[in-house]
Amino acid sequence: MTPSTETNETLFARAQRVIPGGVNSPVRAFRAVGGTPRFVQRAQGPYFWDAEGRRYIDYIGSWGPMILGHGHPVVLQAVQAAALDGFSFGAPTEREIELAEAILRLVPSMDMVRLVSSGTEAAMSGIRLARGATGRHKLIKFEGCYHGHADALLVKAGSGLATFGNPTSAGVPPEVVKHTVVLEYNNIDMLEQAFATHGNELACLVIEPIAGNMNFVRASVPFMQRCRELCTQYGALLVFDEVMTGCRVALGSAQSVYARELPGFEPDMTIMGKVIGGGMPLAAFGAKRAVMQHLAPLGPVYQAGTLSGNPVATACGLATLNEISKPGFFDDLSARTRRLVSGLTGAAKAAGVPFCGDAEGGMFGFFLLPELPQNYGQVMQSDSPRFNRLFHGMLDRGIYFAPALYEAGFVSAAHTDDDIAETVAAASEVFKTL
Ligand SMILES: *Cc1c(COP(=O)(O)O)cnc(C)c1O
């Protein structure tokens, strides 16, 4: 790759003339932390290099998909071979069946899946299916959970308890979100109250089981148990949005983590994305056969996609799932991720900075707070100016964490012990300056 003659700064100026904010997804613009976004030129293993040839240890991994690190040779080979056979056909292929079979083996709560191209599309279509299958309109979502940017899911809590939400985005008419009930995460009382009021009209409850879109907040086991019981009691579907956690926190996804504590635990529907595409545009939603039969062409719930089940994306996803299914893969990844979090925690403690972190599989989060938050309101009490100094201090030392305090981080199988040690050493310096 020839080095760019541009700097991050000149690229950002150029980008802003032709792309709103200079980026194709808002968090990339560094608005929360300030400064100039790094324009990536190439990536390999756990690293990427910016336009100025500067190397960074990458802890966002494309926001989750790059669980094997960048440019894994087996995945690269599968993608190259698939590309030679054709980019897209608009007709079915054997590889789509293979990928569907592979996903169902890993997440057996589903009997069938439909492949789509983004997590947004999967969540939007999953909600439509839940509504079509139950014949009901209302849904519950939780403050701080993100399910892509479909209109009905762009909702924040209104004032007061258990209210219908307000749109979080201009361009979403209030009528479109009037069936969406927004509750506080991990709040069992509020959950029970919402079911008592709306239970018989609820199509589904959609939840990030480990919420990575408010950094890293676990649904408590008693809370999850109550979600399951109430959905069963009222005939609403329990929908796990595992776009981020799927094949990332464990091979069997977050639902397998809850099943350790709650034997036999299963959601009714699962939304997948990110890791199952290995870095290509690919996502999926699935459920039991009785629910999936409502989907076109079998049933009346319409859903379609020109690029759905794309042959290059499915090759990338299949090769990725194959690699992460190897014995010991998640044990190693989990150990390395825990080592990162405990290293950061130790460095903060030595510097007297309030800090706490958590991790599951290859996903982690940390807060400049004395203890782990349980909901969005508590996450937002994190010290934002201090986080920004931490972010930039690390970035200056070649460590790329998520550029916002409400985002999770990701370790890949390509991160070495040396990478972790380098990160912790940088953090030790930076914490002393906070
Ligand atoms: C990333 C994400 C989405 C949206 O997926 P896109 O592919 O960005 O559309 C939905 N839900 C969760 C939990 C996510 O993390």
Side-chain angles (χ1 to χ4, degrees):
M1 181 110 250
T2 44
S4 175
T5 54
E6 304 246 22
T7 63
N8 292 307
E9 204 120 0
T10 59
L11 285 171
F12 194 36
R14 225 176 104 197
Q16 288 177 90
R17 284 196 286 276
V18 288
I19 301 170
V23 291
N24 286 310
S25 195
V27 74
R28 299 178 195 170
F30 276 25
R31 287 274 168 118
V33 291
T36 309
R38 302 305 189 258
F39 281 71
V40 179
Q41 201 171 38
R42 69 186 179 91
Q44 183 57 49
Y47 312 118
F48 65 67
W49 285 263
D50 70 9
E52 299 168 24
R54 190 93 213 270
R55 190 198 86 171
Y56 298 86
I57 302 178
D58 175 15
Y59 288 107
I60 65 168
S62 186
W63 299 94
M66 309 312 298
I67 195 166
L68 299 172
H70 299 280
H72 188 284
V74 172
V75 180
L76 208 50
Q77 209 264 326
V79 168
Q80 284 169 336
L84 288 176
D85 286 339
F87 287 3
S88 185
F89 312 122
T93 62
E94 183 174 359
R95 208 176 292 124
E96 292 163 78
I97 316 170
E98 289 173 355
L99 182 62
E101 288 168 347
I103 293 169
L104 297 179
R105 264 196 304 277
L106 298 180
V107 188
S109 64
M110 300 184 278
D111 291 337
M112 302 176 108
V113 278
R114 171 68 50 90
L115 303 180
V116 295
S117 301
S118 74
T120 292
E121 207 187 337
M124 177 188 80
S125 305
I127 299 289
R128 183 183 304 144
L129 175 59
R131 286 171 159 166
T134 57
R136 299 170 175 187
H137 294 330
K138 289 194 172 125
L139 65 96
I140 285 177
K141 88 170 276 287
F142 296 94
E143 197 184 13
C145 289
Y146 176 66
H147 307 292
H149 58 88
D151 283 357
L153 296 166
L154 280 183
V155 194
K156 62 176 179 239
S159 54
L161 294 182
T163 53
F164 289 101
N166 303 317
T168 31
S169 168
V172 178
E175 293 76 27
V176 176
V177 298
K178 77 173 188 202
H179 300 297
T180 309
V181 182
V182 186
L183 307 181
E184 188 176 75
Y185 201 70
N186 275 327
N187 186 330
I188 293 179
D189 288 344
M190 202 187 264
L191 181 74
E192 289 179 338
Q193 190 188 319
F195 269 92
T197 312
H198 308 294
N200 295 321
E201 300 159 275
L202 280 172
C204 63
L205 175 159
V206 56
I207 186 167
E208 281 185 83
I210 298 174
N213 288 288
M214 48 175 159
N215 196 325
F216 189 106
V217 182
R218 293 171 191 267
S220 76
V221 172
F223 179 72
M224 190 58 83
Q225 185 171 14
R226 212 59 198 115
C227 286
R228 178 65 278 175
E229 288 166 356
L230 288 165
C231 281
T232 303
Q233 183 184 335
Y234 285 92
L237 300 182
L238 177 60
V239 180
F240 261 33
D241 182 347
E242 297 231 40
V243 172
M244 189 183 288
T245 53
C247 303
R248 167 53 81 175
V249 299
L251 189 56
S253 307
Q255 49 199 269
S256 72
V257 175
Y258 284 91
R260 280 179 216 151
E261 310 280 337
L262 304 169
F265 178 89
E266 281 186 347
D268 298 306
M269 183 186 288
T270 304
I271 316 289
M272 307 279 285
K274 296 189 171 120
V275 169
I276 63 162
M280 289 271 175
L282 197 150
F285 61 103
K288 298 287 185 219
R289 201 170 304 275
V291 171
M292 295 305 277
Q293 273 170 347
H294 290 267
L295 203 57
L298 297 178
V301 179
Y302 190 69
Q303 186 279 330
T306 302
L307 297 177
S308 290
N310 176 269
V312 185
T314 48
C316 187
L318 254 183
T320 301
L321 294 188
N322 198 32
E323 290 300 310
I324 69 171
S325 300
K326 290 184 173 165
F329 178 91
F330 267 91
D331 295 335
D332 288 351
L333 183 64
S334 304
R336 209 159 308 141
T337 309
R338 278 198 303 271
R339 209 171 309 138
L340 171 69
V341 172
S342 62
L344 294 174
T345 307
K349 195 164 179 220
V353 174
F355 183 94
C356 59
D358 196 2
E360 190 71 44
M363 176 172 158
F364 67 90
F366 59 77
F367 301 92
L368 297 172
L369 290 171
E371 56 190 88
L372 290 171
Q374 297 301 308
N375 59 47
Y376 184 71
Q378 292 173 5
V379 169
M380 285 299 133
Q381 281 159 21
S382 207
D383 185 338
S384 166
R386 207 173 205 188
F387 172 84
N388 294 348
R389 291 197 295 277
L390 171 65
F391 170 80
H392 279 291
M394 295 302 279
L395 194 67
D396 289 346
R397 288 164 180 78
I399 317 288
Y400 197 102
F401 282 135
L405 63 76
Y406 47 83
E407 303 286 355
F410 304 95
V411 173
S412 78
H415 287 79
T416 63
D417 289 345
D418 285 349
D419 296 320
I420 305 287
E422 188 179 329
T423 305
V424 172
S428 298
E429 284 177 24
V430 176
F431 280 130
K432 284 180 205 139
T433 68
L434 293 185

